[in-house]
Amino acid sequence: MLIDTYGRVATDLRVSLTDRCNLRCTYCMPEEGLQWLAKPDLLTDDEIVRLIDIAVRLLGIEEVRFTGGEPLLRPGLVGIVERVANLEPRPQMSITTNGIGLKRTAAALKQAGLDRVNVSLDTLRPDVFKTLTRRDRHKDVLDGLKAASDAGLTPVKVNSVLMPGLNADEAPDLLAWALEHAYELRFIEQMPLDAQHGWKREGMVTAADILASLRTRFDLTAENAGERGSAPAERWLVDGGPQRVGVIASVTRPFCAACDRTRLTADGQIRTCLFATEETDLRAALRSDAEDKEIADIWRTAMWGKKAGAGLDDPSFIQPDRPMSAIGG
């Protein structure tokens, strides 16, 4: 079991498979990209599967989410999914992706054992997409979403970040589009995870702003609070249901008290929080022939020291020194 001093138990593991990405989203990294991790620093496929096995067999992990960077850029992704699907106990598996490579990989990922996908899409306008991502790949994302749905990687969830002056007015249009395609839409408040440290609380599109915009076109009924559990998204039934929309208010309404996550970076570090400024090295233990129990104990110790919250509402908050692409969202 991965328990901390506040009584929270981590059952959800986020695994970053690579720090690389084929987009350059303005809220994540600079236009020129970043200094990527050297290949020897990255965990191998075998090391990733071994750590996930330790997590589910010895530490009580029940869900695994593959992230990046862009996880579809990992050459061995399908094989990793297939091997994790054969673990005992078998965890639920999902992936967070920009969707660009899903058209060619969705069917293979489903066959390998992947359960569902989360796809990032912030706008329905190709020109705004190009401005936000610095790449002209909007149609590729739409094609990827359709491929995921056709392959049965459902529910297909769409994550959208609204930015002032760019797509802040698109909330109702995005929800109407998601309802039409049977995607589950979740809006995420912009978080301070950009490599340039350009994030400013002032002027950000808040959860309250998003809900007010949605209510200009839709009737929203709050879902029973008991149904949320440790999920980060607050959810609302749309026009009486059954379809829903979620809002992840990481900044204005933090949900740290119910957090059930632990994170493994692409280079084998444990992070107890997306905003943590400290990491615990598992790669060194792996490569020094440590036994599974020893690695599990290192992991338990790291999680025991997890802080109460991210501190985003604290004016003295310090941004992590690694961008989202290196941590895994």
Side-chain angles (χ1 to χ4, degrees):
M1 180 182 292
L2 290 171
I3 189 169
D4 64 33
T5 55
Y6 298 92
R8 296 168 298 191
V9 178
T11 57
D12 184 337
L13 170 61
R14 304 297 168 100
V15 180
S16 175
L17 297 178
T18 178
D19 59 330
R20 297 174 185 267
C21 190
N22 42 13
L23 297 179
R24 296 292 180 270
C25 296
T26 56
Y27 51 77
C28 184
M29 69 172 74
E31 186 171 4
E32 65 275 14
L34 300 166
Q35 182 66 45
W36 307 125
L37 292 167
K39 188 172 181 179
D41 293 337
L42 293 171
L43 294 177
T44 66
D45 293 0
D46 287 345
E47 289 171 336
I48 289 170
V49 173
R50 183 184 172 195
L51 287 175
I52 295 174
D53 175 52
I54 290 170
V56 300
R57 184 166 43 84
L58 301 180
L59 298 173
I61 290 298
E62 299 171 356
E63 299 179 43
V64 175
R65 171 85 61 86
F66 296 108
T67 70
E70 173 45 52
L72 296 185
L73 295 179
R74 177 88 185 199
L77 172 60
V78 172
I80 291 171
V81 169
E82 186 172 26
R83 292 170 66 183
V84 173
N86 288 321
L87 296 179
E88 293 290 344
R90 181 203 189 280
Q92 287 289 305
M93 284 186 293
S94 59
I95 190 169
T96 294
T97 170
N98 61 30
I100 288 175
L102 270 178
K103 183 178 180 179
R104 61 177 174 79
T105 58
L109 287 168
K110 178 64 176 179
Q111 186 175 2
L114 193 70
D115 295 301
R116 62 172 189 82
V117 296
N118 284 43
V119 178
S120 299
L121 181 65
D122 302 324
T123 178
L124 298 176
R125 307 171 195 160
D127 58 326
V128 176
F129 181 91
K130 187 174 181 180
T131 299
L132 278 168
T133 67
R134 305 184 180 104
R135 297 291 186 272
D136 190 10
R137 307 296 298 273
H138 190 259
K139 184 178 184 301
D140 294 323
V141 180
L142 297 182
D143 289 345
L145 280 160
K146 183 178 185 304
S149 181
D150 290 346
L153 291 169
T154 54
V156 175
K157 295 186 178 182
V158 177
N159 297 337
S160 297
V161 176
L162 299 183
M163 305 279 287
L166 286 171
N167 62 340
D169 62 331
E170 285 197 65
D173 290 340
L174 280 163
L175 180 52
W177 165 82
L179 295 174
E180 177 186 353
H181 291 86
Y183 303 145
E184 186 171 325
L185 180 63
R186 304 190 310 173
F187 292 98
I188 305 176
E189 287 183 336
Q190 184 194 2
M191 294 180 284
L193 289 168
D194 57 311
Q196 313 92 292
H197 288 194
W199 177 86
K200 302 291 183 189
R201 179 186 295 270
E202 300 77 16
M204 66 171 284
V205 181
T206 67
D209 297 331
I210 294 165
L211 292 170
S213 180
L214 292 176
R215 285 184 168 122
T216 63
R217 196 182 306 180
F218 301 96
D219 179 50
L220 303 181
T221 306
E223 191 176 63
N224 188 315
E227 296 181 29
R228 179 181 180 184
S230 59
E234 296 178 76
R235 298 188 299 191
W236 284 262
L237 295 175
V238 181
D239 293 336
Q243 290 179 290
R244 299 172 297 190
V245 64
V247 179
I248 300 177
S250 305
V251 177
T252 61
R253 295 203 286 265
F255 40 85
C256 300
C259 181
D260 66 347
R261 298 178 184 179
T262 181
R263 299 176 182 275
L264 177 65
T265 67
D267 54 350
Q269 310 301 306
I270 288 299
R271 295 181 71 95
T272 59
C273 174
L274 194 59
F275 299 98
T277 56
E278 299 173 347
E279 298 176 334
T280 301
D281 186 9
L282 292 185
R283 186 185 63 197
L286 277 174
R287 296 180 180 178
S288 61
D289 298 323
E291 298 290 332
D292 288 359
K293 182 180 181 302
E294 181 181 346
I295 293 171
D297 287 343
I298 294 171
W299 205 328
R300 286 191 191 95
T301 300
M303 291 304 295
W304 183 250
K306 183 173 182 174
K307 295 181 179 178
L312 296 182
D313 53 353
D314 184 342
S316 64
F317 169 73
I318 300 174
Q319 284 186 243
D321 58 3
R322 295 222 273 176
M324 189 186 300
S325 61
I327 298 170

